[in-house]
């Protein structure tokens, strides 16, 4: 799995909320908690690791954006996210303050 993680880590990009919103409307956006690595989540989804993904979902480390979050992001025209496409999903994660 490490190779997949490393490969996916090179595919992480940055996108603004307005670009990501179209994916939200089709139900494809998954919010990843900053405690998780985006590439690891992507690799687990790609490998269909159901138990791992279910554990993250049940502990709210993975979720669909809430209405409150969506409204907040809609109001912040410059809001950016780290993102990773694992079709049909777009994983998004708010950049942490520690990252430059």
């Amino acid at each position: 799995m490490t190779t997949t993680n490393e490969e996916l880590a090179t595919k992480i990009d940055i996108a603004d909320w307005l670009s990501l919103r179209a994916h939200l409307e089709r139900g494809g956006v998954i919010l990843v908690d900053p405690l998780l690595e985006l590439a690891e989540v992507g690799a687990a989804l790609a490998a269909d690791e159901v138990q791992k993904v279910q554990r993250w979902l049940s502990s709210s480390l993975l979720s669909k954006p809430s209405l409150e979050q969506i409204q907040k992001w809609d109001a912040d025209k410059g809001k950016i996210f780290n993102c990773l496409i694992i079709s049909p999903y777009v994983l998004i994660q708010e950049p942490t303050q520690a990252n430059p």
Side-chain angles (χ1 to χ4, degrees):
M1 176 87 76
T2 302
T3 306
T4 303
N5 284 8
E6 291 168 359
E7 182 181 332
L8 290 175
T10 67
K11 298 179 189 261
I12 295 172
D13 204 353
I14 296 172
D16 63 69
W17 173 243
L18 294 178
S19 300
L20 295 167
R21 201 166 196 314
H23 299 286
L24 173 76
E25 292 170 10
R26 66 167 181 75
V29 172
I30 298 175
L31 181 61
V32 179
D33 190 277
L35 294 173
L36 297 176
E37 290 185 28
L38 211 47
E40 180 184 0
V41 174
L45 283 172
D48 201 24
E49 293 184 30
V50 176
Q51 290 180 336
K52 184 182 277 189
V53 172
Q54 189 60 44
R55 202 169 44 247
W56 290 332
L57 286 167
S58 65
S59 61
S60 298
L61 293 172
L62 291 182
S63 63
K64 295 283 186 176
S66 69
L67 182 57
E68 182 181 323
Q69 288 169 315
I70 293 166
Q71 290 171 341
K72 179 180 162 189
W73 300 336
D74 283 346
D76 183 357
K77 301 298 182 202
K79 180 67 178 168
I80 60 165
F81 291 88
N82 295 324
C83 62
L84 178 62
I85 298 172
I86 302 294
S87 190
Y89 303 108
V90 178
L91 304 177
I92 66 170
Q93 186 176 55
E94 294 190 70
T96 59
Q97 298 298 339
N99 292 343

